[in-house]
Amino acid sequence: MGYGIDFANRFTVTIGVKVGRDVHVVLRILMRVNVRVLIVLLILGLGALFYIGARTSPIIVFVFSVCIVSFLFSIYLTKWVLAKDEGPPEMVQISDAIRDGAEGFFRTQYGTISKMALVLALVILTIYLFRTISPHQQSLGRAASAYITVAAFLLGAICSGIAGYVGMWVSVRANVRVSSAARRSAREALQIAVRAGGFSAIVVVGMAVIGVAILYATFYVLLGVDTPGSMKVTDLPLVLVGYGFGASFVALFAQLGGGIYTKAADVGADLVGKVEQGIPEDDPRNPAVIADLVGDNVGDCAARGADLFESIAAEIISAMILGGSMAQRGDPILSFFPADPSGFILFPLVIHSFDLVISSIGILSIRGTRDSGSMVPIEDPMAILQKGYSITIILAVLTFGASTRWLLYTEQAPTAWLNFALCGLVGIMTAYAFVWITKYYTDYKHEPVRTLALSSSTGHGTNIIAGISLGLESTALPVLVISVAIISAFWLGQTSGLVDESGIPIGGLFGTAVATMGMLSTAAYVLTMDMFGPIADNAGGIVEMSQQPESVREITDVLDAVGNTTKATTKGFAIGSAALASFLLFSAYMDEVASFANTPFKQVDIAIPEVFVGGLLGSMLIFLFSAWACSAVGRTAQEVVNEVRRQFIERPGIMDYKEKPDYGRCVAIVASASLREMIKPGALAIISPIAIGFLFRWLGHFTGHPLLGAKVVAAMLMFATVSGILMALFLNTAGGAWDNAKKYIETGALGGKGSDCHKAAITGDTVGDPFKDTAGPSIHVLIKMLATITLVMAPVFL
């Protein structure tokens, strides 16, 4: 049982020693500080926080209070999880090696990302110091506007990085505890994995909310908002755009680097170990197995934490911008908006504050069972998670209705709040529909995945054909759901009774923003389900490597299969929210251009050749980005395959347990290659919109069309969003279906493990790996980053 464990110390030295030293140094410094001093500093910090909150709005004080209570709840979850036993020493040593590898790669990856972020911050600062000032920033001045935008960008990048670290930190400590619990009870293992994921989710969502709230309150106080000669409160959300851009920037590179790492290791391990050598998944004889397990943490946990943080931050800021814009356009004679329009602007922060509360209740609803001696799952884990999600959905409907009545009620349009509550209900129903649709196409309890598994019985080629066709088909229902949601929410907003000075309804776009908030109103619980997946996957790997009884592996296999489905549903959820958030940011971009150009900018005419070309370039960007992301996985996987084959040839004793594989070599190969490969697609995403905007700006200057650059960029953004949504849906669903088709066969169906059908399914899973975990989840980050970067750079396209 102890085979393959002694590598832990050497692995720690080669990969994680520097991180370990840094952590110990920090801990020693903190331990030297008197506890009373720390308490005093904490009290002073909280006092300053609530002081600026009280100077801003009672709503901000409410948001701060909920976030702080949620952080305390996350501490409780951490203590609960860490109090669980870690199992026998062989489990602990494997877990330590995984943790050291994940922390070592995280430190190196984020060191690279931070350097790129600093360079981009300097570029933004230079552009802003020499660009034209928008009307709403006249009171700030060019220099102040530049420094504020750069500060917001860096804060967003830092918070996104912390969110990613939190996701990884808990997963590398919970995996071994789930493995240990699986020796006793499936329900206990499920509960530990859920609560560990819940800790990460609560911290990530709480950071997104409190980060925007602190930024808003600080600028409100420092800039003297709404005092004579200063900025209006309705313009304040526009200075927060840099925060969303910073979050998107880090999330994109985290997703690319982590996705390349995890899938290259996974593909290399599967192709040689499972297909060529016929050994089980996560077998300790496979030299790439540790790299694969490390990849689950840096790709699925760290990257997803940064991703969801970015999603929520972008949605909050875009909704705040639209709320401020609508309040500014409201009819002053009818006084549709109160003297203080903060309710419409801060509404997104309140919704996500309630999200923290209701998701915490949903997490606590998943309990262990008294039947701790059972080694068989008492109940379907997916059904248990769905019950918790249903509770969260019901509470979300109630709190959303209360929030709209509290913040969006106006006397002159007394039913407007009800219309917006219905918009929120549309968003909640859309989220539920996305979760259900993705589950239908990726869970092996349903027909699509079983049909895909059956296609494996006739060979590798038919499996690939069936998987691609399933992925293409799976785009239809989500697109129909998004279409109905956008039109319904826009119509409800338009008929809310809010009009401008000309009597024209102005609530349509805000209605769509409210629907987006509704869709993300259960984001913390959905992220919990997502984090559950890689934790369960790692637990299964630890069980296999420590050679636990088959009954324990059966439990972790069931949890792993459910985790594949929850990860796929979260990606579908993220794509849907990205579609709505990008629509909002696109509208905010057009408003920003109209403000700078001092001319209406409400339509983009694709009949103009240059504008049509911009659309083509936007669609091309999605396909080229996806190609580069997938090829990066392929190239890195080839290096892993060659290394694993070399070790099997040069060390024949590995297969007989007489020699130990060199795990550290595979980890080093994947780490260096993934960091190298993430640069090209990431740079493409950042440089493309700026280059296109500049190019057509100068072309428009010489041809007498001053808005040409802005129009071409708008078309690029529009087409990229549409193409990106479809491509992401295809890649994520096809990849998840291929993975679970393999899991279904491994349950004993169609010949079971080691059969020709199983080998064909492994080939499909190998193709799907870069689809679902590298290119697919990176695309929805990409389309939101395109929207934020165009919003930040809008002035330079004119």
Side-chain angles (χ1 to χ4, degrees):
M1 285 181 69
Y3 174 79
I5 306 305
D6 293 341
F7 71 89
N9 291 333
R10 177 163 55 88
F11 186 86
T12 301
V13 171
T14 56
I15 301 297
V17 68
K18 195 169 183 180
V19 175
R21 287 174 179 167
D22 291 344
V23 171
H24 289 313
V25 169
V26 173
L27 288 175
R28 282 199 299 269
I29 293 173
L30 290 176
M31 290 175 67
R32 290 175 184 170
V33 179
N34 190 288
V35 176
R36 293 180 181 178
V37 174
L38 290 176
I39 293 174
V40 170
L41 291 174
L42 180 62
I43 292 173
L44 289 175
L46 291 175
L49 193 67
F50 280 98
Y51 172 75
I52 63 170
R55 289 277 306 274
T56 306
S57 169
I59 302 171
I60 290 290
V61 175
F62 170 80
V63 171
F64 285 163
S65 301
V66 172
C67 288
I68 290 170
V69 172
S70 297
F71 290 146
L72 294 175
F73 173 69
S74 69
I75 293 173
Y76 160 75
L77 291 178
T78 309
K79 293 184 67 176
W80 187 91
V81 170
L82 296 182
K84 299 295 181 180
D85 72 288
E86 297 180 304
E90 56 266 27
M91 281 187 174
V92 176
Q93 289 183 338
I94 296 169
S95 175
D96 287 346
I98 295 170
R99 182 175 70 242
D100 291 334
E103 290 181 344
F105 176 75
F106 183 93
R107 183 181 184 279
T108 306
Q109 181 192 30
Y110 275 73
T112 303
I113 294 173
S114 63
K115 292 173 185 174
M116 293 188 294
L118 288 173
V119 172
L120 185 56
L122 290 175
V123 172
I124 295 172
L125 179 64
T126 303
I127 291 174
Y128 265 62
L129 285 175
F130 294 99
R131 71 176 176 87
T132 306
I133 302 179
S134 64
H136 67 266
Q137 293 176 335
Q138 291 288 348
S139 58
L140 289 179
R142 184 179 286 112
S145 174
Y147 291 123
I148 285 174
T149 302
V150 170
F153 170 81
L154 292 175
L155 181 62
I158 292 169
C159 290
S160 185
I162 294 173
Y165 181 76
V166 166
M168 183 209 66
W169 186 90
V170 67
S171 66
V172 296
R173 287 161 176 80
N175 51 19
V176 68
R177 290 168 170 83
V178 175
S179 301
S180 178
R183 298 180 303 152
R184 300 184 294 272
S185 162
R187 188 66 178 260
E188 183 185 353
L190 172 70
Q191 186 184 24
I192 293 173
V194 168
R195 291 199 170 187
F199 158 76
S200 178
I202 295 297
V203 172
V204 168
V205 176
M207 280 183 55
V209 175
I210 202 169
V212 175
I214 289 174
L215 208 58
Y216 178 91
T218 302
F219 289 157
Y220 186 97
V221 173
L222 292 180
L223 300 177
V225 172
D226 272 350
T227 57
S230 65
M231 177 182 286
K232 295 180 180 179
V233 70
T234 51
D235 292 328
L236 183 56
L238 285 166
V239 304
L240 308 180
V241 173
Y243 185 84
F245 182 27
S248 298
F249 177 84
V250 171
L252 180 68
F253 281 98
Q255 187 65 69
L256 278 171
I260 293 168
Y261 186 111
T262 182
K263 290 304 106 178
D266 194 2
V267 168
D270 284 354
L271 285 180
V272 183
K274 295 171 72 173
V275 177
E276 295 181 6
Q277 299 295 330
I279 59 178
E281 185 173 1
D282 300 326
D283 192 290
R285 291 171 290 180
N286 194 326
V289 68
I290 286 293
D292 184 13
L293 295 175
V294 170
D296 291 333
N297 296 287
V298 298
D300 290 332
C301 292
R304 192 70 68 249
D307 176 10
L308 262 292
F309 174 88
E310 177 267 342
S311 293
I312 295 168
E315 177 266 328
I316 288 175
I317 292 169
S318 60
M320 291 174 74
I321 291 172
L322 289 175
S325 175
M326 187 177 67
Q328 200 169 31
R329 292 169 57 198
D331 188 346
I333 300 175
L334 295 177
S335 299
F336 274 105
F337 294 92
D340 179 11
S342 296
F344 283 84
I345 298 171
L346 300 178
F347 181 67
L349 294 174
V350 172
I351 291 299
H352 286 294
S353 297
F354 279 121
D355 172 21
L356 293 168
V357 176
I358 62 176
S359 294
S360 299
I361 295 172
I363 292 165
L364 291 176
S365 71
I366 298 175
R367 298 179 176 273
T369 177
R370 293 180 181 178
D371 189 8
S372 59
S374 174
M375 295 300 293
V376 180
I378 298 171
E379 192 176 352
D380 177 16
M382 192 68 202
I384 298 171
L385 294 174
Q386 284 288 109
K387 287 180 182 178
Y389 185 51
S390 298
I391 291 171
T392 309
I393 285 283
I394 293 170
L395 293 174
V397 172
L398 297 176
T399 55
F400 209 99
S403 300
T404 51
R405 179 63 179 81
W406 172 27
L407 298 174
L408 304 184
Y409 176 80
T410 60
E411 293 182 0
Q412 283 71 22
T415 62
W417 73 271
L418 183 58
N419 279 46
F420 291 126
L422 292 175
C423 291
L425 183 60
V426 167
I428 293 171
M429 292 170 60
T430 301
Y432 192 83
F434 260 85
V435 169
W436 185 88
I437 291 168
T438 311
K439 180 176 177 291
Y440 173 73
Y441 278 108
T442 57
D443 194 331
Y444 63 61
K445 295 181 179 63
H446 301 291
E447 182 182 356
V449 173
R450 296 198 174 203
T451 302
L452 175 58
L454 183 61
S455 71
S456 304
S457 62
T458 53
H460 301 251
T462 50
N463 172 278
I464 299 300
I465 293 170
I468 290 175
S469 62
L470 183 150
L472 293 171
E473 178 188 319
S474 69
T475 62
L477 284 177
V479 167
L480 292 175
V481 169
I482 291 175
S483 302
V484 171
I486 290 176
I487 293 173
S488 301
F490 190 87
W491 180 82
L492 286 168
Q494 283 290 84
T495 58
S496 64
L498 300 180
V499 297
D500 62 12
E501 297 177 11
S502 305
I504 299 174
I506 57 174
L509 279 177
F510 189 71
T512 309
V514 173
T516 310
M517 292 177 235
M519 189 168 185
L520 286 169
S521 63
T522 56
Y525 189 86
V526 174
L527 181 57
T528 298
M529 292 197 296
D530 183 82
M531 292 291 183
F532 164 85
I535 292 172
D537 193 355
N538 257 206
I542 292 172
V543 166
E544 182 71 40
M545 288 197 71
S546 60
Q547 300 180 359
Q548 299 297 312
E550 185 64 27
S551 57
V552 181
R553 180 70 203 198
E554 287 176 2
I555 288 177
T556 55
D557 278 347
V558 171
L559 296 180
D560 186 17
V562 171
N564 284 333
T565 302
T566 59
K567 286 190 291 185
T569 56
T570 306
K571 290 166 188 170
F573 174 87
I575 294 166
S577 66
L580 293 175
S582 296
F583 178 70
L584 302 180
L585 289 167
F586 177 75
S587 302
Y589 167 76
M590 297 186 74
D591 286 344
E592 182 82 342
V593 171
S595 175
F596 270 98
N598 198 24
T599 183
F601 186 56
K602 298 182 180 296
Q603 297 177 338
V604 179
D605 186 359
I606 62 171
I608 300 172
E610 294 89 348
V611 176
F612 183 72
V613 167
L616 282 178
L617 292 173
S619 297
M620 177 211 70
L621 173 62
I622 297 298
F623 282 81
L624 186 59
F625 177 87
S626 303
W628 284 359
C630 289
S631 64
V633 173
R635 283 191 297 271
T636 308
Q638 288 173 14
E639 295 183 41
V640 178
V641 167
N642 291 332
E643 173 60 24
V644 175
R645 284 175 177 169
R646 182 192 66 80
Q647 291 198 35
F648 277 130
I649 293 170
E650 296 181 2
R651 300 184 182 189
I654 289 177
M655 292 300 294
D656 299 325
Y657 296 94
K658 296 177 181 178
E659 291 186 78
K660 297 176 183 178
D662 186 354
Y663 301 102
R665 176 63 182 160
C666 287
V667 171
I669 289 172
V670 178
S672 60
S674 58
L675 290 173
R676 181 179 68 249
E677 295 284 357
M678 76 176 184
I679 303 297
K680 189 167 74 169
L684 174 72
I686 296 168
I687 295 171
S688 295
I690 300 175
I692 291 171
F694 268 112
L695 175 63
F696 284 95
R697 168 191 171 173
W698 290 112
L699 183 60
H701 173 72
F702 290 114
T703 58
H705 296 87
L707 286 181
L708 184 63
K711 290 178 179 179
V712 171
V713 169
M716 182 213 71
L717 182 58
M718 187 189 307
F719 279 61
T721 300
V722 172
S723 301
I725 291 166
L726 293 171
M727 179 66 84
L729 286 169
F730 162 67
L731 294 175
N732 285 329
T733 310
W738 266 316
D739 196 346
N740 271 350
K742 179 197 70 175
K743 296 287 184 189
Y744 174 61
I745 294 171
E746 289 175 347
T747 62
L750 302 172
K753 294 182 179 180
S755 64
D756 289 339
C757 186
H758 184 227
K759 290 180 179 178
I762 292 171
T763 300
D765 180 37
T766 301
V767 174
D769 276 340
F771 279 27
K772 68 182 174 66
D773 287 324
T774 307
S778 297
I779 289 175
H780 67 258
V781 182
L782 168 66
I783 60 178
K784 282 176 288 187
M785 197 188 76
L786 289 175
T788 53
I789 196 172
T790 52
L791 190 55
V792 169
M793 298 292 183
V796 302
F797 302 148
L798 300 174

